[in-house]
Amino acid sequence: DGGITQSPKYLFRKEGQNVTLSCEQNLNHDAMYWYRQDPGQGLRLIYYSQIVNDFQKGDIAEGYSVSREKKESFPLTVTSAQKNPTAFYLCASSIGPIMGGDQPQHFGDGTRLSIL
Amino acid sequence: DQQVKQNSPSLSVQEGRISILNCDYTNSMFDYFLWYKKYPAEGPTFLISISSIKDKNEDGRFTVFLNKSAKHLSLHIVPSQPGDSAVYFCAASGGSNYKLTFGKGTLLTVNP
């Protein structure tokens, strides 16, 4: 059963700590994405990767870092430089990076990050 | 600057009736539009999409209409069911742009 797995579902961070959110997909998709959702807001793009060993900044990349060493994995690190990290984080993937036809982005169930 | 706008934060409909969710966009480069449905504490689920070369796309109870001249699209759900109660996001992308731009969402409540 193919899909996108995000773990953990809930995560707590102390001030000044880095934390890494996991995202794994077994859909054989080339492109992967990280979004952030705040209450009453739409999804905002943090980083995306079109292919292994390549990634690009989205609209709100400051304070975040990513890696794409394997096709199926795209972890997101929330660093201490991110001043307001409390949010719902969503990972997505798509067959290719170009939208169109029947190639939508598919999402995981998210990780809720809170500051202690 | 919001390029995709969903001006109704919420909508309440009776079971069996039609639900109409609206979305406006400002970027004329957008040529692919999607609707996602989201339950609390879950990721969005893809519902239906439409390319700018079409003005209508239908999938079961869900129909999306696109009016390019007005830069407006709408999602019709007929008949509405209580299980349709969720937040609906409109999203758009343009040309070779990978990026999806999302609206803020509309909370649909279908009352039994």
Side-chain angles (χ1 to χ4, degrees):
Chain A
D1 192 19
I4 301 171
T5 302
Q6 290 187 243
S7 60
K9 195 164 182 66
Y10 299 95
L11 192 56
F12 299 92
R13 191 191 93 171
K14 292 183 180 179
E15 295 276 358
Q17 279 185 340
N18 293 353
V19 64
T20 298
L21 284 62
S22 170
C23 178
E24 303 278 331
Q25 55 98 358
N26 60 3
L27 300 167
N28 201 33
H29 285 174
D30 282 322
M32 296 187 74
Y33 313 81
W34 273 105
Y35 290 90
R36 167 180 172 142
Q37 186 189 16
D38 294 285
Q41 301 294 318
L43 281 63
R44 293 183 292 167
L45 183 67
I46 304 172
Y47 266 98
Y48 74 102
S49 169
Q50 298 184 36
I51 199 166
V52 175
N53 293 322
D54 178 72
F55 50 83
Q56 305 294 332
K57 291 181 180 180
D59 296 323
I60 55 166
E62 185 176 350
Y64 300 98
S65 66
V66 293
S67 62
R68 186 86 187 277
E69 296 175 3
K70 298 186 295 183
K71 186 175 184 177
E72 59 270 22
S73 179
F74 191 41
L76 173 74
T77 296
V78 183
T79 74
S80 57
Q82 171 48 240
K83 297 306 177 189
N84 186 21
T86 296
F88 189 51
Y89 291 87
L90 287 158
C91 178
S93 71
S94 62
I95 293 173
I98 305 301
M99 296 292 109
D102 290 318
Q103 297 185 15
Q105 291 181 16
H106 296 275
F107 287 81
D109 279 341
T111 292
R112 183 164 298 282
L113 175 63
S114 301
I115 299 302
L116 290 177
Chain B
D1 178 33
Q2 262 193 285
Q3 297 187 64
V4 176
K5 298 179 184 179
Q6 293 178 257
N7 291 320
S8 298
S10 63
L11 174 68
S12 185
V13 171
Q14 284 300 117
E15 181 178 5
R17 298 287 186 100
I18 184 171
S19 294
I20 300 176
L21 296 102
N22 294 303
C23 179
D24 297 297
Y25 62 96
T26 58
N27 189 339
S28 56
M29 295 299 293
F30 286 151
D31 58 7
Y32 182 59
F33 305 88
L34 307 88
W35 284 95
Y36 285 86
K37 172 182 177 180
K38 185 181 180 301
Y39 294 116
E42 293 184 9
T45 302
F46 169 71
L47 269 180
I48 192 168
S49 63
I50 188 166
S51 164
S52 59
I53 62 173
K54 295 184 176 181
D55 54 19
K56 176 182 174 181
N57 190 23
E58 202 168 348
D59 184 1
R61 296 186 298 114
F62 302 92
T63 303
V64 56
F65 295 92
L66 176 62
N67 182 335
K68 290 189 292 292
S69 60
K71 293 190 175 68
H72 176 84
L73 64 155
S74 61
L75 174 68
H76 292 211
I77 306 173
V78 183
S80 300
Q81 300 173 354
D84 295 329
S85 298
V87 176
Y88 288 79
F89 288 100
C90 171
S93 73
S96 61
N97 192 343
Y98 61 89
K99 177 182 165 182
L100 279 182
T101 301
F102 284 83
K104 293 186 176 182
T106 296
L107 173 63
L108 173 66
T109 303
V110 180
N111 300 302

